[in-house]
Amino acid sequence: MATYKIDGIGTRGFGTNNTANQNDPVKIVRLYASTTLAQGDAVCLDFTVSTNGLGNNVTKAAVGASATKQCIGIAAEAVTVSGTNYQLVDIQVQGLCSFADIDNGDDAPGDLLAAGATAGRLTLDVVAALPVAILVTEGTPGDKDTVVYLLNPANL
């Protein structure tokens, strides 16, 4: 299964003619979930599963284990996985994302974010991992309402 990208451009009102195109890049990749995911969960590549080829599976990202600390994006949809019946899921890896989840409520706009202590959430990038996002607007931990700009650290 190959990884693919979906790019977009949006037309927005601008000035008096309302016809300006402004680039609004959002990249989505489709990978296999090796665990049940909710929309807004931070995910990492799951190299412990090779059923669909190494690098084609994702699981919830979390610090504490080398295998899960490098977050690559945010689940754009919910998916239920039972046993080894892995399911395809859309993962947003770049652009403005309005449904991310965070570990705590004391971060500031512009902070670099990475995998948090709670699986599937983001927090300040203080571990030996590349940041996955820049905080735009902080939401409430657990509500999946934080706005971030995803950086595509795995260059998918």
Side-chain angles (χ1 to χ4, degrees):
M1 172 95 201
T3 302
Y4 69 95
K5 300 178 184 177
I6 304 171
D7 297 330
I9 184 166
T11 303
R12 298 193 182 105
F14 183 76
T16 57
N17 59 11
N18 287 330
T19 59
N21 283 328
Q22 297 176 353
N23 192 11
D24 188 13
V26 170
K27 289 188 180 176
I28 306 282
V29 294
R30 190 153 207 186
L31 299 166
Y32 286 93
S34 55
T35 188
T36 296
L37 300 172
Q39 181 187 35
D41 281 345
V43 299
C44 63
L45 292 174
D46 186 355
F47 290 109
T48 66
V49 176
S50 61
T51 302
N52 300 297
L54 286 172
N56 284 329
N57 297 281
V58 292
T59 189
K60 291 181 183 181
V63 297
S66 294
T68 61
K69 72 179 178 182
Q70 182 55 63
C71 183
I72 62 154
I74 304 294
E77 60 185 345
V79 64
T80 302
V81 175
S82 177
T84 59
N85 187 20
Y86 307 128
Q87 301 294 314
L88 284 169
V89 61
D90 288 343
I91 306 297
Q92 184 174 341
V93 295
Q94 183 175 321
L96 206 57
C97 174
S98 61
F99 47 84
D101 203 355
I102 53 169
D103 250 351
N104 54 46
D106 59 359
D107 304 324
D111 282 346
L112 295 175
L113 303 176
T118 304
R121 293 187 185 178
L122 300 174
T123 194
L124 284 176
D125 184 20
V126 295
V127 296
L130 294 172
V132 68
I134 301 169
L135 180 63
V136 177
T137 305
E138 189 169 55
T140 304
D143 285 355
K144 300 182 188 310
D145 61 351
T146 295
V147 180
V148 298
Y149 188 87
L150 293 168
L151 301 172
N152 195 6
N155 198 27
L156 298 175

